[in-house]
Amino acid sequence: MDKTDEIAKFQALMSLAVAQNGDLINEIRYQKGVLKSLGLTDGEILDLIHDRHARAPISTGRAQIALAAVRHAAGLPQHAAPLTVRRSSSPTQAFDERTVQYMRASGREPRSRPPVDLAQAPQKHPAEAYRVLRAPPVALTAVSHTNAAPPPTTLQVPYGVSQDGELVHAREADAAAMYACPGCAGLLVLHAGAVRAKHFAHKAHTACDGETLAHITAKLLVAKVIDEHCDSKTRVTLLCTCSKCDSPVQRDLPHSAFTSSAVEERIGPFVCDVVAFKESRPVLAVEIFNSHAVGDEKAEQLGLPWIELDAAEVLADPFNWRPVRMRLKPTLCRDCKAERAELERVAGRWNLPLSEPLYVAAVAPCWGCKEKIIWYWWRGVPFAQEKPPAPAPRTVQFRFSKMYGGKYWMNVCPGCRAPQGDNFVFLASDSPFGKLPINETQEMTAHRQSQNTAVVSQFINIIKRNMGDH
């Protein structure tokens, strides 16, 4: 149990205004007990109760997250009555004698608070979908807060949260139903005119941030798609890259790939935007890129395969995942799969190992018997004088080459035992290892220089011939 998280939940509870006195007594009493079990004193808890500055940044949505989490932990029923964040004063309507004594002992004079008319307090949608989210830690340091009205915005919202906690696209929304913003939990209005595409907008001026809204909505949308995919209701495709030829590969994810999802799930020291599970085992992390990419430390150390999706692309098409970054198991395209199958078949015929990753194997015809055989590349070719890395395949042998004028480690046909010269295996224009690095030897440099000299000489002869013709 994390102390910072539990403090954040308590502050969120204290930021909620209630319709009747005592509505949150059980929740606050339970969370007080949790804080005491974590070592907080009565004085420190009273400080939290009266620290309005630390509660100022807490939105209704985040408070609903904390409320749902506390009720779940305490075994209390979920409320149907809408709640909203109180900004003007503490949820405590009056100071008791113990509070007054504590504040005066701390050198602070308690101030009287005017009564709050809760009937006039703005009511917001409960947004039960937030039950899956985890309230982030809220700093206990003072935060500057003003009562100035937020700047007006006409932000278009593609998705709304229904009263059942479901994420609903505007084109599928019911005009008679009520929807909340996934970002701030404020009430939305459905715009379904004949000219512009259907969309939601906030019912009143709001400071809801477009980037935050896109990020939160994309997270909830990915989680929803995963859950529906588990029930065979949707088809999800993943665009990745062939680990051999770098060509794009589009894969249909099997419905058995996942069984559930979670938002804001902690994996080791990192919190992931969405985590897909198979049974109880996490199998894939999905990060949402909006303005901040996955950090290098998280990218390298996260103990799960992961992909990073662009928030705008998720909102436009949540069923076709096109990662901007990823770390997945190696994937082969169709051609490379067929090539791999052929490689394994030929290697099996000659009882040869593939010896990865020390060697790279390829299928090629023997220049002598024309049978399909296995050629091997390793670091040090061509014309390798140093012994290849062990264990070396039995067809890599130290043999004499008349063309080379000496011995070197080369490939040998397992059938007719004919040597496969390195000029043929590695240096030919159609070599299967053309993209792999090779060592530049003195013989190769001299051969290239002699070829260049011959080409220049031939070119000069052609020029002289043409000039003579005129």
Side-chain angles (χ1 to χ4, degrees), residues 12 21 70 77 104 107 121 160 216 220 235 316 318 340 347 350 366 373 375 393 401 418 438 467:
N21 290 335
V70 170
R104 284 177 175 162
I216 292 176
L220 295 176
R235 174 175 171 266
R340 179 72 181 189
W350 297 108
C366 169
I373 62 172
W375 288 349
S401 168
I438 57 176
M467 291 178 66

Side-chain angles (χ1 to χ4, degrees), residues 64-65 68-69 127-135 165 219-220 223 227 261-265 273:
Q64 294 286 353
I65 297 169
E128 291 292 333
Y130 289 110
R131 66 184 180 274
V132 298
L133 294 177
R134 181 181 180 185
K219 285 192 294 188
L220 295 176
D227 291 338
S261 68
V263 179
E264 295 292 325
E265 182 75 6
D273 288 338

Side-chain angles (χ1 to χ4, degrees), residues 29-344:
R29 182 182 293 126
Y30 171 84
Q31 197 61 16
K32 278 184 178 179
V34 171
L35 296 183
K36 286 184 178 180
S37 70
L38 292 174
L40 269 72
T41 64
D42 288 336
E44 290 172 328
I45 293 175
L46 282 172
D47 272 338
L48 294 176
I49 291 174
H50 299 293
D51 190 357
R52 287 178 293 161
H53 290 297
R55 292 195 297 273
I58 301 176
S59 66
T60 298
R62 295 200 182 281
Q64 294 286 353
I65 297 169
L67 179 59
V70 170
R71 282 173 173 165
H72 177 75
L76 298 171
Q78 297 290 337
H79 254 245
L83 304 175
T84 187
V85 168
R86 172 181 295 151
R87 297 297 186 196
S88 58
S89 65
S90 166
T92 308
Q93 291 299 308
F95 289 114
D96 57 24
E97 183 176 341
R98 184 178 177 185
T99 304
V100 172
Q101 291 175 355
Y102 167 76
M103 293 193 68
R104 284 177 175 162
S106 303
R108 292 173 291 175
E109 189 66 21
R111 293 172 292 177
S112 60
R113 293 179 172 85
V116 177
D117 184 4
L118 293 176
Q120 300 300 320
Q123 301 298 305
K124 291 189 177 180
H125 191 282
E128 291 292 333
Y130 289 110
R131 66 184 180 274
V132 298
L133 294 177
R134 181 181 180 185
V138 178
L140 296 179
T141 54
V143 177
S144 59
H145 176 61
T146 64
N147 293 324
T153 180
T154 57
L155 182 68
Q156 292 189 12
V157 183
Y159 288 84
V161 180
S162 70
Q163 289 180 290
D164 297 328
E166 294 293 325
L167 201 62
V168 180
H169 195 280
R171 62 174 173 266
E172 300 170 354
D174 182 357
M178 186 168 63
Y179 298 92
C181 172
C184 68
L187 285 179
L188 298 174
V189 177
L190 177 64
H191 291 260
V195 178
R196 301 176 67 182
K198 275 189 174 184
H199 66 277
F200 291 109
H202 288 83
K203 192 170 184 178
H205 291 323
T206 178
C208 187
D209 177 70
E211 287 193 1
T212 302
L213 172 62
H215 190 262
I216 292 176
T217 305
K219 285 192 294 188
L220 295 176
L221 194 53
V222 168
K224 178 184 178 182
V225 166
I226 291 174
D227 291 338
E228 290 180 351
H229 185 69
C230 300
D231 299 331
S232 303
K233 295 179 180 178
T234 59
R235 174 175 171 266
V236 178
T237 62
L238 172 64
L239 184 67
C240 45
T241 304
C242 177
S243 56
K244 184 175 181 182
C245 68
D246 292 332
S247 62
V249 181
Q250 184 165 298
R251 296 171 50 194
D252 287 344
L253 298 182
H255 292 293
S256 59
F258 315 122
T259 56
S260 62
S261 68
V263 179
E264 295 292 325
E265 182 75 6
R266 182 174 291 277
I267 301 294
F270 306 106
V271 176
C272 302
D273 288 338
V274 184
V275 173
F277 290 84
K278 187 165 186 178
E279 305 304 337
S280 59
R281 181 171 58 91
V283 293
L284 177 69
V286 182
E287 294 293 312
I288 303 300
F289 170 74
N290 196 35
S291 56
H292 301 288
V294 175
D296 292 339
E297 182 181 3
K298 187 175 185 179
E300 295 172 2
Q301 299 181 15
L302 183 61
L304 272 185
W306 60 269
I307 61 175
E308 185 175 37
L309 303 178
D310 184 89
E313 291 191 0
V314 171
L315 297 179
D317 186 0
F319 304 105
N320 292 300
W321 296 352
R322 302 169 59 90
V324 292
R325 293 173 67 199
M326 69 186 96
R327 194 191 69 204
L328 300 172
K329 295 178 180 178
T331 300
L332 296 177
C333 66
R334 182 177 300 176
D335 291 342
C336 291
K337 278 184 179 179
E339 183 180 312
R340 179 72 181 189
E342 175 73 355
L343 180 66
E344 292 176 351

